[in-house]
């Protein structure tokens, strides 16, 4: 076992030992967690990310339902500890199905929501991430392209890969747990996270990564944990600026928000996943006006989402208030690829260089 | 320009020349296409794939609307021919936006459905595929893992990649146009197409590709054209059996159907995309019974989909009738990952070896 796996295993065993000690000393076993509701999420001004507030909830074995929750927790801990010993991994869905094979019928999960939530609970209580439990997501699939040489520790040995020279046009596929990666060498000036596949391909075709020493990270819509994690590591370890380039609508601003500030669902992981220094490139509502981009009208759901962003601490800056109010005013949204209405090279010859210069990245 | 690009360009120019000749000889220009409705799709017994029937529709410039369609077609042909000359490519969405920059306002597309359909029309009339026009999809993103060495012709030069030794755990990313790939060498015994990412990762973790000389193709749900195309090429050029492993529900049987027989939407491309020799591994309704898998009840939409499959010529075999009737009878469906209820290794130690042996693949 690696030191990291050994540590994760130990944290889990300690948790089970706590239940055992509670039993042994005649107490009713219990587990205390931060309350995971929206009202107990706070924006931490210092670190610039979402964190849990002070309220806590207790899972106690003093009811049948509570006892069952702790039973499921111990079976899950046992499974995860063995998985780490054996150097195996599994998906959240496999865990759910696997629970049907456990010898105590009462320990089987009744839905995947229940098993997913338990794994999140264990992440919080043990302070070990799901990735370090070797739990994989169902799909990841985002890619990197740019002047970065890395080493990935795979189950089949080490692989040294240059993310331009050793990959096809599809780029380097980020593994489920990017902490298996070491950064060896690079010529990157900045990290450019891109929402859509169409725009990612445009930038690669136009050679933007080579011309500007950019590492292009494809977000594929709302980014997977692996994508956010590797972005944060690139920023922290290589001291590189991160910029986020999305469509110009409220859902895309949330994509930026999740890269930069974390999400409510994973507030316990903000320090592991979020990059508060990440900046937003566009499409800005002001770009829609300035470049007269082809647009769609805002739907009611878009308007509601923009209004709720005005109340979201992550967007309470002069910049965002101005942009969001402008967008409500013009009543329009635009996609990244709408820049093609000015020609296929406009985004790489004009739009990005201008914006990145304004932002002080170039 | 490559010979292939030159040929594609010539087919497009010939099409425009036809309009010109019609004009020059005093005829009203027109373009004739197979009627692209469900009633004009036929299952071709000989080739085992979907093809268009005999009915045709004519787009004629004898109405304002028809004239506009032909105008859009000529502008699109002009754009595509220049794109091929310059060795560029673009997405369908970029084409839609780009049309706003054309000098004739009447040539701009009014919706992306319109531009997508025109590109499909041009594919049919010119007998050149969208990939050969250098039109990319918005997203592709499927991967290969297995004992295959290939050479990809990228815009940045050739890349020789072994799909186990030179890639991370994420595998080799299939490019948008897999016809840029040459197969150099391999130790593959069969191609295993897998629907879900969770199962793909399970097979890779368990070393199924190395133990059984399998090339694992991740379908990612309904497979992209690029995924279906490379599967067909692997089958045809390397003479390898193809098997498809999906969830056990009617939507997944359609995934199998689209790999094997093509889809109604791309019936004009069946010979380019479909692999009629592809076999279905499972999850079979009979597996649900035999292995007592965890299931969900069939929803009404599932029942309707199964019933319409009984009327689908692609599923009119004794095998499929038996399986579908069994499924309607038991009223249940199961996911691939439900096999984990028998342990994480059951799929690779038991299920697949047994099924592949039954099917004559092992």
């Amino acid at each position: 076992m690696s030191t990291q796996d050994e540590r994760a295993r130990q944290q889990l065993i300690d948790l089970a030992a706590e239940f055992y000690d509670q039993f042994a000393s005649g107490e009713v076993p219990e587990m205390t967690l931060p309350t995971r509701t929206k009202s107990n999420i706070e924006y931490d001004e210092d670190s610039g990310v979402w964190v849990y507030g002070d309220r806590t909830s207790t899972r106690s074995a003093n009811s049948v339902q509570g006892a069952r929750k702790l039973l499921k927790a111990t079976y899950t801990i046992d499974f995860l500890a063995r998985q780490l010993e054996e150097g195996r991994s599994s998906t959240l869905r496999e865990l759910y199905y696997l629970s049907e094979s456990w010898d105590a019928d009462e320990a089987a999960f009744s839905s995947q929501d229940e098993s997913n939530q338990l794994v999140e609970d264990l992440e919080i209580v043990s302070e070990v991430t799901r990735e370090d439990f070797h739990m994989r997501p169902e799909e990841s699939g985002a890619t990197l392209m740019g002047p970065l040489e890395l080493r990935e520790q795979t189950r089949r040995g080490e692989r040294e890969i240059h993310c331009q020279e050793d990959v096809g046009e599809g780029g380097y596929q980020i593994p489920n747990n990017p902490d298996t990666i070491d950064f060896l060498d690079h010529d990157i000036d900045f990290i450019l996270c891109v929402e859509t596949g169409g725009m990612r391909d445009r930038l690669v075709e136009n050679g933007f990564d080579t011309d500007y020493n950019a590492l292009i990270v494809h977000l594929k819509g709302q980014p997977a944990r692996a994508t956010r994690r590797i972005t944060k590591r690139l920023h922290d370890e290589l001291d590189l600026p991160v910029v986020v380039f999305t469509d110009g609508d409220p859902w895309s601003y949330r994509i930026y928000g999740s890269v930069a500030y974390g999400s409510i669902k994973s507030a316990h992981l903000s320090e592991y996943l979020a990059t508060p220094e990440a900046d937003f490139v566009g499409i800005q509502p002001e770009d829609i006006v300035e470049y007269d981009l082809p647009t769609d009208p805002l739907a009611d759901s878009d308007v509601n989402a923009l209004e709720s962003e005005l109340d979201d601490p992550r967007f309470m800056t002069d910049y965002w208030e101005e942009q969001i109010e402008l967008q409500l005013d013009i009543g329009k949204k635009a996609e990244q690829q709408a820049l093609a209405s000015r020609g296929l090279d406009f985004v790489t010859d004009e739009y990005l260089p201008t914006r990145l210069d304004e932002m002080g990245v170039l």
Side-chain angles (χ1 to χ4, degrees), chain A residues 266-279:
Chain A
S266 57
H268 59 295
L269 294 164
S270 291
E271 284 178 35
Y272 169 80
L273 295 177
T275 310
E277 299 80 8
D279 270 333

Side-chain angles (χ1 to χ4, degrees), chain A residues 24-44:
Chain A
S25 65
E27 291 165 46
V28 176
E30 59 175 40
M31 180 163 85
T32 301
L33 286 156
T35 303
R36 298 180 58 207
T37 56
K38 198 170 173 180
S39 59
N40 195 38
I41 306 276
E42 291 170 5
Y43 182 72
D44 185 71

Side-chain angles (χ1 to χ4, degrees), chain A residues 49-348:
Chain A
V49 297
W50 289 101
V51 294
Y52 287 113
D54 293 331
R55 282 193 289 134
T56 58
S57 316
T58 298
R59 308 269 157 84
S60 163
N62 63 5
S63 71
V64 173
Q65 206 199 346
R68 233 179 239 153
K69 280 246 182 280
L70 293 188
L71 180 71
K72 291 173 190 191
T74 47
Y75 268 87
T76 304
I77 288 171
D78 180 54
F79 165 70
L80 293 173
R82 261 187 297 129
Q83 169 162 289
L84 287 162
E85 271 162 43
E86 293 168 8
R88 305 290 304 267
S89 64
S90 54
T91 66
L92 291 167
R93 203 184 294 275
E94 282 177 326
L95 169 63
Y96 162 61
Y97 284 124
L98 202 64
S99 73
E100 301 226 354
S101 71
W102 291 343
D103 52 18
D105 287 350
E106 299 275 318
F109 294 108
S110 54
S111 73
Q112 201 181 337
D113 279 350
E114 190 187 17
S115 52
N116 288 355
Q117 207 195 321
L118 178 64
V119 170
E120 284 177 6
D121 287 351
L122 292 177
E123 280 189 302
I124 297 169
V125 181
S126 67
E127 296 182 330
V128 175
T129 61
R130 190 180 77 200
E131 286 77 3
D132 284 345
F133 293 152
H134 294 191
M135 293 301 291
R136 296 186 305 246
E138 297 310 315
E139 301 282 350
S140 60
T143 57
L144 303 180
M145 180 72 100
L148 171 67
E149 192 182 352
L150 55 78
R151 181 172 45 223
E152 180 184 330
Q153 185 60 54
T154 78
R155 223 163 280 280
R156 297 149 190 229
E158 292 181 348
R159 300 282 185 271
E160 296 195 0
I161 297 170
H162 188 285
C163 298
Q164 281 168 334
E165 291 161 21
D166 301 328
V167 298
E169 295 209 334
Y172 167 73
Q173 180 84 20
I174 303 169
N176 291 315
N177 182 359
D179 286 357
T180 56
I181 292 174
D182 288 313
F183 304 126
L184 299 180
D185 196 11
H186 77 91
D187 275 308
I188 309 170
D189 289 338
F190 61 98
I191 314 287
L192 178 59
C193 301
V194 181
E195 177 180 353
T196 64
M199 183 53 77
R200 179 263 174 209
D201 290 345
R202 164 63 43 221
L203 299 181
V204 170
E205 171 169 331
N206 289 10
F208 192 77
D209 55 319
T210 51
D211 292 350
Y212 286 90
N213 292 331
L215 180 74
I216 298 172
V217 179
H218 181 197
L219 297 176
K220 284 204 164 181
Q222 187 66 42
R225 279 168 62 147
T227 312
R228 288 184 280 153
R229 174 63 180 161
I230 202 164
T231 301
K232 183 187 178 53
R233 285 192 56 208
L234 287 159
H235 172 269
D236 288 3
E237 293 172 34
L238 306 180
D239 197 23
L240 291 168
V242 172
V243 298
V244 180
F245 181 25
T246 68
D247 288 340
D249 64 51
W251 318 100
S252 295
Y253 309 151
R254 289 189 188 175
I255 287 174
Y256 161 70
S258 89
V259 172
Y261 309 112
S263 59
I264 292 176
K265 193 175 142 51
S266 57
H268 59 295
L269 294 164
S270 291
E271 284 178 35
Y272 169 80
L273 295 177
T275 310
E277 299 80 8
D279 270 333
F280 182 71
V281 176
I283 302 290
Q284 314 173 96
E286 102 181 52
D287 299 331
I288 298 177
V289 179
E290 183 172 346
Y291 297 118
D292 191 22
L293 297 179
T295 55
D296 285 308
L298 292 180
D300 289 348
S301 57
D302 295 326
V303 172
N304 292 340
L306 285 169
E307 279 166 356
S308 90
E309 279 165 9
L310 286 174
D311 290 330
D312 184 329
R314 297 179 294 178
F315 293 101
M316 281 187 182
T317 63
D318 291 347
Y319 170 78
W320 277 109
E321 273 169 32
E322 197 178 301
Q323 294 299 325
I324 291 171
E325 272 159 16
L326 173 61
Q327 186 151 31
L328 287 166
D329 198 44
I330 60 176
K332 290 171 183 170
K333 59 186 177 182
E335 296 184 344
Q336 301 192 289
Q337 293 194 76
L339 293 166
S341 68
R342 322 261 300 200
L344 293 179
D345 297 329
F346 180 75
V347 63
T348 46

